[in-house]
């Protein structure tokens, strides 16, 4: 739940009463309440979607009814191909996240300990961070050729710079006294990284991973939509591209729904469980 | 941490109100007013040698003239040209009422009908060589292409894809044998990739790219579109939505203007080449050779529909056998 967002704006008896009641709620209960409300809104959205398509407010050729899209999604997953394509994409993004964060961590350590490397690293990060990987396509194609490798590079590019910037900021925010204490106790650089810098900046790392995930997932899907299926399944992005090419709108929305659901599960499941402080 | 459950009023202001606002905006934006009383046609603007009559029609104002001739009520006539990339974009633009007429290959048109699009073919436009080129001299049969080689073509479901599948079915007994080897690339990118010889072995393309590849040393055609199909077929056909094809005035005006443009091309090679050269990035001389010397034909007859339907039903690209009356407008 966002702090500040629900801050006291106008104080009336009603608000005070509610305030008392809610402060009495446990953290778990409030989280459950949040989940419940989210689920309610999700159902309302689906109902709204179904209604506007069933009653002709929206042309079903543009947006098919929610139930047929859901049905198609289940069929696609049971039938296997979509499931495999989804697994390929999720596998790639997790691998990219792992590698991207590792590279980001390495660069952040380098920048932390070697002042000489800082200008070049920060120059590179500020040049590359805002650049969409797709814009680098000609270069990436020359290096990696057409295929999964190129897709992976586009995604890695999306993850690595934000991860470096985030981790660097996390390291800089570590209380220098803690570092001094560790150094005085004879900690070498590796111990300093392992026992001070990384653990202290862990809350920041959660945010870094979360940003890396969303940037990487987006980049991966756009790259897959451009590169297509070669000697492999092509991933969920290719599924979207193919469905659109075959003018199969129901399939297209089933794919979009799967992309969204993956995001929701990662956000509400994985990250909220691993890094609860970040919510 | 302090939590406030929003009160009834704040709940409305914060949650329900924005949603209602979005709904209202969506409904309002759906009610786009009609373009006054003007008589309008919006045509998808596409480039390429095979689209030449369209560009002539535009440059010479034939469509405006044809509509003016038929319009007795004195309504002003407007023609809009909208740039679109491919048949998926055409489909979406038609559903959004942005365009009335567009040109595409028969297979993507059929896929659209199969998926419930109410569009129909109002005219043919052109026939031209659509061929598969390879950059490896040792490749001489389709069978040799199976396996590792990568084949570039515009997109799945395109006429190139369907022609390749037809040849694969005939020669190798499996229409989808190449489906895992396809790379979706625009014509110029596909040609670049084929010429660079790195990732792409084969490119299924159309003029002028097929001509450029044909003329490049070390690159040879492995499959001709017409032999894959087994008969002549329209490369491009004109498609329109019901509002347009049921409106005799606009439909006839469009057909007239197109005939006039085709006639103009036949009678004025020099001027045609001069008008078109710039948009193709070719010289007028090259344009003239390509347009008149290399098997591009402009005609309003639609050819090959049944063969495409038969094949696409048999191989599952279409869910059902489409009847001809679903594909062309009733002649009045």
């Amino acid at each position: 739940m966002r702090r500040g967002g629900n801050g006291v704006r106008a104080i009336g008896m009603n608000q005070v009463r509610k305030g008392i009641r809610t402060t009495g709620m446990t953290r778990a209960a409030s989280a459950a309440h949040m989940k419940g409300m989210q689920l309610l809104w999700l159902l309302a959205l689906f109902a709204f979607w179904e209604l506007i398509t069933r009653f002709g407010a929206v042309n079903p050729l543009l947006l098919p009814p929610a139930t047929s899209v859901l049905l198609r999604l289940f069929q696609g997953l049971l039938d296997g191909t979509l499931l495999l394509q989804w697994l390929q994409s999720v596998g790639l993004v997790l691998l990219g996240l792992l590698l991207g964060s590792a590279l980001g961590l390495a660069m952040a350590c380098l920048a932390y300990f070697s002042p000489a490397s800082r200008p070049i690293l920060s120059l590179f990060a500020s040049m590359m961070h805002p650049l969409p990987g797709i814009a680098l396509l000609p270069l990436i194609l020359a290096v990696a050729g057409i295929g999964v490798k190129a897709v992976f590079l586009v995604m890695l590019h999306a993850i690595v710079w934000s991860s470096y910037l985030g981790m660097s900021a996390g390291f800089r925010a570590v209380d220098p006294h803690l570092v001094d204490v560790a150094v005085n106790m004879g900690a070498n650089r590796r111990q300093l990284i392992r026992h001070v810098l990384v653990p202290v900046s862990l809350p920041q790392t959660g945010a870094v991973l979360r940003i890396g995930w969303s940037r990487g997932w987006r980049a991966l899907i756009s790259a897959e939509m451009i590169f297509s299926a070669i000697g492999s399944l092509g991933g969920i992005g290719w599924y979207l591209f193919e469905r659109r090419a075959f003018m199969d709108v129901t399939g297209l929305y089933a794919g979009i729904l799967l992309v969204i659901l993956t995001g929701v599960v990662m956000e509400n499941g994985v990250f909220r469980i691993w890094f609860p402080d970040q919510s | 941490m302090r939590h406030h459950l929003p009160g009834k009023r704040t709940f409305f202001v914060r949650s329900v109100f924005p949603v209602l606002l979005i709904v209202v905006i969506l409904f309002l934006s759906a009610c786009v007013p009609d373009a006054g009383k003007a008589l309008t046609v919006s045509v998808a603007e596409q480039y390429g040698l095979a689209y030449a009559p369209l560009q002539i029609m535009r440059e010479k104002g034939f469509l405006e003239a044809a509509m003016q001739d038929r319009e007795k009520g004195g309504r002003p006539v407007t023609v809009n040209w909208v740039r679109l990339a491919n048949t998926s974009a055409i489909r979406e633009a038609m559903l959004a009422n942005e365009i009335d007429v567009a040109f595409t290959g028969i297979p993507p048109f059929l896929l659209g009908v199969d998926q419930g699009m109410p569009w129909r073919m109002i005219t043919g436009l052109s026939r031209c060589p659509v061929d598969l080129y390879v950059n490896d001299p040792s490749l001489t049969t389709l069978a040799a292409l199976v396996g590792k080689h990568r084949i570039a073509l515009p997109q799945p479901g395109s006429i190139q894809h369907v022609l390749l599948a037809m040849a694969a079915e005939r020669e190798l007994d499996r229409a989808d044998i190449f489906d895992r080897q396809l790379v979706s690339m625009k014509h110029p990118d596909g040609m670049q990739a084929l010429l660079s010889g790195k990732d792409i072995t084969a490119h299924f393309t159309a003029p002028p790219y097929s001509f450029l590849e044909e003329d490049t040393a070390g690159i040879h055609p492995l499959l001709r579109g017409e032999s894959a199909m087994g008969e002549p077929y329209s490369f491009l056909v004109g498609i329109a939505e019901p509002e347009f094809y049921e409106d005799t005035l606009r439909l006839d005006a469009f057909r007239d203007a197109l005939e006039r443009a085709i006639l103009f091309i036949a009678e004025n090679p020099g001027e045609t080449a001069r008008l078109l050269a710039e948009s193709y990035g070719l010289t007028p001389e090259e344009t003239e050779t390509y347009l008149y010397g290399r098997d591009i034909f402009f005609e309003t007859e639609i050819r090959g529909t049944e063969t495409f339907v038969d094949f696409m039903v048999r191989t599952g690209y279409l869910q059902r056998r489409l009847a001809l009356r679903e594909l062309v407008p009733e002649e009045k």
Side-chain angles (χ1 to χ4, degrees), chain B residues 30-239:
Chain B
C31 313
V32 180
D34 290 337
K37 288 214 158 148
L39 189 62
T40 56
V41 182
S42 301
V43 187
E45 180 186 21
Q46 290 150 300
Y47 286 110
L49 286 167
Y51 296 91
L54 281 189
Q55 276 164 279
I56 292 297
M57 195 200 257
R58 181 182 189 178
E59 297 284 338
K60 304 297 285 182
F62 288 161
L63 186 52
E64 287 87 342
M67 290 211 294
Q68 210 82 64
D69 278 354
R70 289 163 182 276
E71 172 53 32
K72 304 289 183 238
R75 285 180 292 177
V77 162
T78 47
V79 176
N80 304 318
W81 298 85
V82 185
R83 269 195 100 152
L84 292 168
N86 53 36
T87 315
S88 318
I90 288 171
R91 178 189 177 278
E92 285 141 23
M94 266 194 195
L95 286 172
N97 274 325
E98 294 287 326
I99 55 164
D100 300 308
V101 185
F103 288 81
T104 183
I106 295 177
F109 159 78
L110 294 174
L111 287 170
V113 176
D114 195 40
Q115 296 287 347
M117 264 308 273
W119 59 22
R120 292 190 185 177
M121 294 188 283
I122 57 166
T123 178
L125 182 69
S126 51
R127 275 193 289 139
C128 66
V130 187
D131 303 325
L132 178 70
Y133 289 91
V134 292
N135 59 14
D136 181 348
S138 67
L139 288 171
T140 50
T141 61
L142 215 50
L145 205 58
V146 178
K148 270 179 49 190
H149 298 288
R150 290 167 181 180
I151 306 164
L153 46 75
Q155 61 174 355
S158 62
I159 191 166
Q160 286 84 358
H161 182 197
V162 170
L163 288 171
L164 182 66
M166 279 177 161
E169 189 199 40
R170 181 171 309 128
E171 292 184 29
L172 308 165
D173 268 343
R174 246 191 76 193
D176 64 349
I177 196 161
F178 293 116
D179 280 9
R180 282 282 165 86
Q181 291 170 249
L182 302 182
V183 185
S184 174
M185 290 180 122
K186 294 191 174 86
H187 295 290
D189 298 340
M191 183 173 79
Q192 279 308 315
L194 184 77
L195 295 182
S196 78
K198 248 187 77 183
D199 300 302
I200 298 294
T201 317
H203 185 208
F204 213 135
T205 191
Y209 305 98
S210 50
F211 298 156
L212 295 168
E213 289 172 16
E214 181 98 36
D215 297 345
T216 306
I219 289 180
H220 70 277
L222 188 67
L223 175 70
R224 300 278 185 197
E226 252 180 47
S227 64
M229 178 83 174
E231 66 184 66
Y233 56 89
S234 302
F235 173 56
L236 292 172
V237 293
I239 56 177

Side-chain angles (χ1 to χ4, degrees), chain A residues 69-117:
Chain A
V69 171
L70 279 173
L71 190 67
R72 174 64 72 83
L73 181 57
F74 286 125
Q75 278 169 352
L77 290 174
L78 287 179
D79 155 74
T81 316
L82 180 57
L83 186 67
L84 287 176
Q85 286 172 321
W86 178 77
L87 283 175
Q88 172 175 323
S89 294
V90 170
L92 270 181
V93 79
L94 292 180
L95 195 65
L97 205 52
L98 201 69
L99 196 61
S101 314
L103 281 172
L105 179 65
M107 287 197 294
C109 291
L110 187 65
Y112 189 83
F113 291 112
S114 146
S117 72

